[in-house]
Amino acid sequence: MVIPWTKVWAVVITGLVVVFLALILLILFVALFGKVFSRSENKKKEEAAAAPKVEITKSPAPEALPLAADNEDNSEVIAVISAAVAMMAARDGKKYAVKSIKKTADRRRQTGSVWAAAGQRENTRPF
């Protein structure tokens, strides 16, 4: 079976034309989507710029309130937490005050899975 060269070249040229037309259409499609999304982002930025701006002023930190003491003596825990807050304040250059200290439930133990707790520790560990 012999295939004439005219048919071979017709198939090759048709294939190339179809491929390049598809690529051109894909480029136009992506460019159109880029313009649509950039316009929506510009509208959001304009709306944010048009919104009234609120100025935040620093006010002196209120004095620490006396903490409600439970039946146990938590003075060491309170001192450690206050020291940590003071260190953060010194680093940030702001004034913080401890208003209250409340004990919370340990959420890691409520999950029941050791693997879940290990994954949570792994994903929330500082860099």
Side-chain angles (χ1 to χ4, degrees):
M1 179 159 123
V2 178
I3 300 175
W5 284 102
T6 56
K7 286 188 179 182
V8 170
W9 285 111
V11 169
V12 169
I13 291 173
T14 304
L16 288 172
V17 168
V18 168
V19 166
F20 282 106
L21 282 177
L23 287 174
I24 290 170
L25 288 174
L26 187 62
I27 290 169
L28 292 174
F29 183 72
V30 169
L32 178 68
F33 264 94
K35 288 184 180 185
V36 168
F37 285 116
S38 67
R39 284 183 184 167
S40 66
E41 287 180 12
N42 288 339
K43 286 181 183 178
K44 288 179 183 176
K45 288 179 183 177
E46 289 173 2
E47 289 174 1
K53 294 185 178 183
V54 177
E55 291 186 26
I56 301 173
T57 60
K58 290 185 180 180
S59 61
E63 293 191 25
L65 300 174
L67 302 173
D70 292 340
N71 294 337
E72 335 176 326
D73 183 25
N74 292 329
S75 59
E76 290 180 10
V77 175
I78 294 170
V80 170
I81 292 173
S82 298
V85 170
M87 297 253 327
M88 285 177 43
R91 184 179 58 194
D92 294 344
K94 298 179 182 177
K95 292 184 178 182
Y96 296 115
V98 178
K99 292 184 179 181
S100 66
I101 298 175
K102 297 178 184 175
K103 189 173 184 177
T104 60
D106 189 8
R107 292 186 187 138
R108 283 181 270 161
R109 296 188 186 208
Q110 290 176 353
T111 59
S113 171
V114 177
W115 293 106
Q120 186 179 22
R121 277 193 305 274
E122 179 72 24
N123 292 328
T124 58
R125 185 179 63 217
F127 296 107

